[in-house]
Amino acid sequence: MFSKILIANRGEIALRIIRACKELGIRTVAVYSEIDRNSLHVRLADEAICIGQASSTSSYLNIPAIISAAEITDVEAIHPGYGFLAENPHFAEICESCKITFIGPTPENIRLMGDKMAARNSMHKAGLPIVPGSTSVIKNKEDALKIAKSIGYPVIIKAAAGGGGKGMRICHNDLTLISNLMTAQAEAEANFGNANVYIEKYIEKPRHIEIQIIADKFNHIVHLGERDCSIQRRHQKLLEESPSPVVDNKLRKRLGEAALRGARSVGYVNVGTIEFLLDSDNNFYFMEMNTRIQVEHPVTELVTGVDLIKEQIRVAAGEKLRLQQEHINIKGSAMECRINAEDFENNFMPSPGKIETLILPGGPKIRIDTHIYSGYEISPYYDSLVAKVISWGENRADAIKTMLRALSEFEISPIKTTIPFHLRLLSNPLFLKGDFSTHFVQEMLKEEQKGEDV
Ligand code: ADP
């Protein structure tokens, strides 16, 4: 096992990793930007090194500064968390060449899955159902029209190097396809430094269902069931739950087997998530693979009892995975609400600033993953996630009740958050029935808007 790890991240995930390390008896090194000097991850780690100015490019994306910090502190491994450098194959390669273990998959796997087009083709070859669409990058408008004709409208243009819900455009006819193509390419180039786009059939009202997997270096791999992440706004997840209200044991087995087949076909190691779209006839299609720990991993931890971060560190250290598929049971129901510093009442406008009052919920069956405290300044430089409230219940209805109780205790001011959004969502009759698709949030907000207009 490692004796010292550097955490190349900030916020709640840096804390989560430090906590796992402490329990494993591993010393920790935090890195931080100048503006994060008073952050909890800096306080809780055994050592901390400043790696640059506030902007991510100067600090949390600054590879030379992070590698120097790792060398100075003599760590054996780097945990990248999620976001920042977590899915950067170049960074994983540099770690390798500096003889520092990158806690994650191989650079080859990160590169393959980071190119969504290549990932699609590779999973198709492995026998996974993929969303009908292009098998190569769109060259010109004739190409785009031909593909759209063969799969039928609506279609979605996606950036091959895309992520974070950005760079997607839905098109309903030839005209919108042509006009969106150039903008999509330009946006892809601007956001991801890669103008390549491809086209997929736009699945109407699907659910976003993802399977968590973990593999060791000895070809042993298991899945830990699904997470339903259909509650999204602008393709960004707001609430995730496990199990999905629409996935039964039979479907879970099929999804799990498909995920394992896909991961095995590329010799995948460490944690990963295979994302699928599920249509109303229970057909599922591979969408993409995330080659890192995800924001929503706690819901899987609560229903399986597996500590994913510890397992991730253990397999990276070369230990054998002790989990056996037949021993992984989904117990009860868990859900996570992402509390963002965004003003729900004001179209989710960012609401950074200093926290004057903070009262965090507690009590049985509630887990809070957060880095904030009273007096903490939420910076506009990084993402707006300030806390994850995760509840567990014997069943979904209980998990919802506990979540409502917890959110009603949560006090934070003067910054505005997404808590009022979650309170509304959690009392919506369709949500309570489990009857929703990825369009649900948009529809719910539109419905409420209409009500207010009357
Ligand atoms: P990103 O990597 O940017 O998060 P994804 O490929 O994971 O992008 O897609 C994000 C979300 O966009 C999905 O959860 C789903 O809601 C929607 N989406 C993506 N592809 C399709 C599709 N072919 N049909 C319908 N919705 C889609």
Side-chain angles (χ1 to χ4, degrees), residues 38 143 182 228 435:
N38 296 321
D143 203 15
M182 295 254 285
D228 191 321
D435 182 6

Side-chain angles (χ1 to χ4, degrees), residues 116 120 131-132 154-156 158-159 161-168 170 192 198-210 229-230 232 234-237 275-277 287-290 292 437-439:
K116 291 182 163 193
R120 257 169 73 78
V131 183
V155 301
I156 180 167
K158 292 173 128 181
K166 294 200 188 85
M168 285 178 279
I170 302 153
F192 313 109
Y198 64 101
I199 291 178
E200 265 179 19
K201 174 89 186 161
Y202 184 66
I203 311 282
E204 302 273 11
K205 305 212 167 182
R207 291 183 85 113
H208 172 123
I209 306 286
E210 57 185 37
C229 310
S230 306
Q232 322 177 332
R234 300 193 176 156
H235 306 302
Q236 309 237 25
K237 299 164 186 170
E275 297 188 339
F276 295 100
L277 287 176
M287 188 164 47
E288 67 162 345
M289 180 169 192
N290 289 319
R292 54 167 157 83
S437 76
T438 54
H439 295 225

